[in-house]
Amino acid sequence: MKLLNQVILSLALSLSLSFTIATAAESTRTVSPEMATLLKALAEDEPKAGLERVSAYKGSGHPLLTLATAQIHWQLSIASADNDALRLHRESAMRLFSEALQADPTLRQAHIGLAQCAAAREDWITASREAALGVDATYGNRQEVSFLAQTALNAQDWRLASIAAQQGILRFPNDYELRRVELAVLMHANRYDDARQAVWALLDTTPNNVALWRQLAYVDQQTQRNDEALAALEAALLLQPQDNELRRSLADRQLGRGLSRTALATVLPLMTKPLSAAVIADAGLLYTACRAASESGDVAQARAWLAEVPVAQRSRDLHILQARLAIQANDEKDAAAALDTLIAQGEKDPSILAWAGSLAQQRGDLPTAELLYLTASSYDSPAAAAASLRLVALYLSQNRLEDARVTLATHLIKYPTDQQAKTFQAQLDRQLIK
C-alpha cells in the first residue's frame, strides 16, 4: 500500500539541505578563505540573490560550490510558478548535483538532491536509490530518514522501507510518517497482528483519522476480530458521516453479521423520498438497502425502492433480488418478469435458468419450462445437474418416457453416483415394464 505521492513530494520539497560554512568546516574538505566566505554568503542569501552571487563569482570552482549552486536551482524550481522556469531550474539542479558527485563522490547531500529531483517527477526507484546513498539512517535528521523510508515505500522496495522505518522509529519514536511507512510494510507482508498494533499506535496520536479506523477494521477482519472490525467501521462513520461509500460498507458488514435492522438504520439516511438520481444510479447501494429492508421483515419497502428504479437501469443483482422479493411476497408474476429480463439479456447461470423454468412449469407453460431446463442442463455444474433432473421429472409427468430415458442416461454418464438419478431410473424402469 502506497502513501500518497503528495505527502512524499511535500517532504522532499521541505527538506532543508542548504550547505553552511559550518558543515564545510566539520568535513575533511579544505576550502580557501575566499570560497569559505562565498559559501557562507550563499547559505544566508535568498535563492535568487544567491544565484546572482554565483554568476558574478569569477574565482576557481569547488565541489561544495557546485553543490550549493545545485541546491539554489532546486529551491528556485520549488518556488517557480512558471513551468518552463521550473523545468530549467530542475534540469540545472540535476546536472549540477551530478557534477558535484563526479568531483567528490562523498558528497551525500548531492545524492539527496538527486533523490529530491527524482521524487518531484515521481521516479520513485531512482529517488529511493539516491536517497539510500545520501541518507544515513543512523545519523540523518528526522526529515531525511522519513524521506528515505517513504521513497523506498513508493518504489516498493519493501526491505529498504522496513529498515529505514525501523531505524527511524528507534530514533524518532513519535514520527507519524515513519510509523505510516511501518504500517504499510506490515500490511504488505500480511503481518496483520503486528499491523493492528501499528494502527493503534497511530490512532493514539490521530484518533480522528478515518483512514486509520478503516485500516483497523480491515486488520481486525483479517485476524477474525469481527466485532472489533464492526466497531472500527462505526467509529469511522461517526467521524465522516457524509461518506456514502463508508456507510454502505458498514451496512454490508452489519448484514454479514446478521444485524439487518442495524444495517437498515445505517443505510436509511441515503434513501431519499423519492429516490434521488444518484441513489438510483448506485446499484450497490440499492442492493444493500433492499436486502437490509427485506431481512428486517419489510419486504414491501424493499420492493417499493426497487419499483422506483427503471428496469433498464437495474443491475443483474437487482433483478435477482427483485425475483426473490417477489417470491417472498407471493408475486410469482413479478418474479418471472425479473428472471425473463435477465434471460433476455443473455443470462447463463444454470441456477437462474432452472429457477425461471420452475416458475414457467408452475404457471403451466411447459414448453418454456422444458426449453429453460434444457438450456440450464447443458452447462457443467451442480445447478446444471439439478436442472437435468428437473427435466427428467417434467418428462415423466407428461409420460414422455423415451425423452426421460435419453435425458436420464446422459445424466448418469456425467453423474454416475447421483442417488436421485438412480431413483428416477427405478421409477422409469417400472413405467417402461408396464
Side-chain angles (χ1 to χ4, degrees):
M1 180 179 56
K2 291 183 179 180
L3 294 178
L4 291 175
N5 293 349
Q6 291 87 340
V7 174
I8 304 178
L9 291 176
S10 175
L11 181 61
L13 301 182
S14 66
L15 283 173
S16 177
L17 300 171
S18 296
F19 236 148
T20 64
I21 189 61
T23 306
E26 290 168 3
S27 74
T28 58
R29 302 173 186 86
T30 302
V31 296
S32 67
E34 180 186 19
M35 180 59 64
T37 301
L38 176 60
L39 290 173
K40 182 177 180 181
L42 291 177
E44 297 171 351
D45 281 342
E46 292 295 323
K48 190 173 181 180
L51 191 59
E52 292 174 354
R53 187 185 296 275
V54 170
S55 298
Y57 175 69
K58 303 302 181 183
S60 59
H62 193 281
L64 293 182
L65 177 59
T66 305
L67 174 62
T69 308
Q71 291 171 334
I72 291 171
H73 278 290
W74 166 245
Q75 292 168 11
L76 287 170
S77 75
I78 298 171
S80 179
D82 179 78
N83 288 335
D84 290 335
L86 183 153
R87 178 179 55 80
L88 289 172
H89 283 302
R90 188 176 295 170
E91 289 175 353
S92 296
M94 292 170 60
R95 176 178 53 79
L96 290 167
F97 281 133
S98 297
E99 289 179 6
L101 282 171
Q102 289 175 358
D104 184 350
T106 67
L107 284 176
R108 69 177 184 86
Q109 291 85 356
H111 283 297
I112 296 176
L114 288 173
Q116 288 176 293
C117 293
R121 64 178 186 272
E122 300 186 26
D123 178 358
W124 300 113
I125 293 177
T126 300
S128 65
R129 289 173 180 171
E130 292 292 344
L133 291 169
V135 175
D136 186 334
T138 304
Y139 298 105
N141 63 39
R142 182 192 302 258
Q143 286 181 311
E144 289 175 345
V145 177
S146 185
F147 179 60
L148 169 61
Q150 292 184 64
T151 53
L153 178 62
N154 249 30
Q156 297 187 19
D157 187 337
W158 303 103
R159 180 63 177 161
L160 178 58
S162 177
I163 292 172
Q166 289 176 7
Q167 293 193 15
I169 290 172
L170 285 174
R171 297 181 56 218
F172 313 109
N174 297 322
D175 189 276
Y176 182 83
E177 297 304 335
L178 284 170
R179 288 192 175 272
R180 286 300 300 264
V181 174
E182 178 197 32
L183 174 59
V185 171
L186 293 172
M187 293 288 285
H188 173 76
N190 298 330
R191 293 171 55 187
Y192 296 121
D193 282 312
D194 292 333
R196 187 171 186 268
Q197 296 180 29
V199 174
W200 274 117
L202 287 165
L203 283 170
D204 280 344
T205 58
T206 54
N208 293 331
N209 188 310
V210 175
L212 287 176
W213 284 108
R214 298 188 74 161
Q215 282 189 296
L216 179 61
Y218 179 78
V219 295
D220 278 340
Q221 184 182 23
Q222 295 301 311
T223 55
Q224 307 302 313
R225 295 177 172 91
N226 295 317
D227 290 337
E228 290 92 332
L230 199 59
L233 277 184
E234 289 170 350
L237 186 61
L238 286 173
L239 291 169
Q240 199 163 305
Q242 74 282 5
D243 188 332
N244 294 351
E245 182 62 33
L246 176 58
R247 184 174 292 276
R248 186 171 69 199
S249 177
L250 174 58
D252 285 336
R253 189 72 59 85
Q254 290 166 334
L255 279 173
R257 299 288 290 163
L259 304 172
S260 54
R261 292 186 182 277
T262 304
L264 181 59
T266 297
V267 80
L268 202 56
L270 303 178
M271 308 306 288
T272 56
K273 295 182 180 180
L275 296 181
S276 67
V279 171
I280 290 174
D282 192 337
L285 171 59
L286 283 165
Y287 183 80
T288 297
C290 292
R291 265 196 63 200
S294 64
E295 293 177 21
S296 297
D298 196 348
V299 175
Q301 177 61 82
R303 296 188 73 197
W305 281 332
L306 278 180
E308 292 190 53
V309 184
V311 174
Q313 291 184 237
R314 295 177 193 173
S315 66
R316 178 179 181 274
D317 285 343
L318 288 180
H319 283 301
I320 295 172
L321 183 60
Q322 176 192 350
R324 289 174 178 163
L325 294 175
I327 293 296
Q328 285 183 260
N330 297 316
D331 187 349
E332 292 185 2
K333 182 178 179 181
D334 189 46
L339 298 183
D340 287 345
T341 300
L342 283 177
I343 293 167
Q345 293 174 352
E347 180 61 43
K348 298 184 184 305
D349 185 337
S351 65
I352 299 298
L353 296 171
W355 185 11
S358 175
L359 291 177
Q361 185 176 356
Q362 289 176 40
R363 65 176 180 266
D365 187 354
L366 300 186
T368 298
E370 180 181 353
L371 176 61
L372 289 167
Y373 289 151
L374 272 170
T375 305
S377 64
S378 67
Y379 295 94
D380 186 12
S381 70
S388 177
L389 292 181
R390 282 178 178 269
L391 184 59
V392 172
L394 178 63
Y395 287 148
L396 289 173
S397 71
Q398 295 176 299
N399 203 33
R400 294 167 58 182
L401 302 185
E402 182 60 21
D403 289 332
R405 184 190 67 78
V406 172
T407 302
L408 191 55
T410 302
H411 180 92
L412 283 169
I413 290 173
K414 295 174 68 175
Y415 310 101
T417 61
D418 190 327
Q419 292 302 315
Q420 187 176 359
K422 290 180 179 180
T423 300
F424 275 130
Q425 183 67 64
Q427 179 183 345
L428 178 61
D429 290 344
R430 287 193 297 271
Q431 290 186 249
L432 288 173
I433 291 173
K434 293 179 182 179

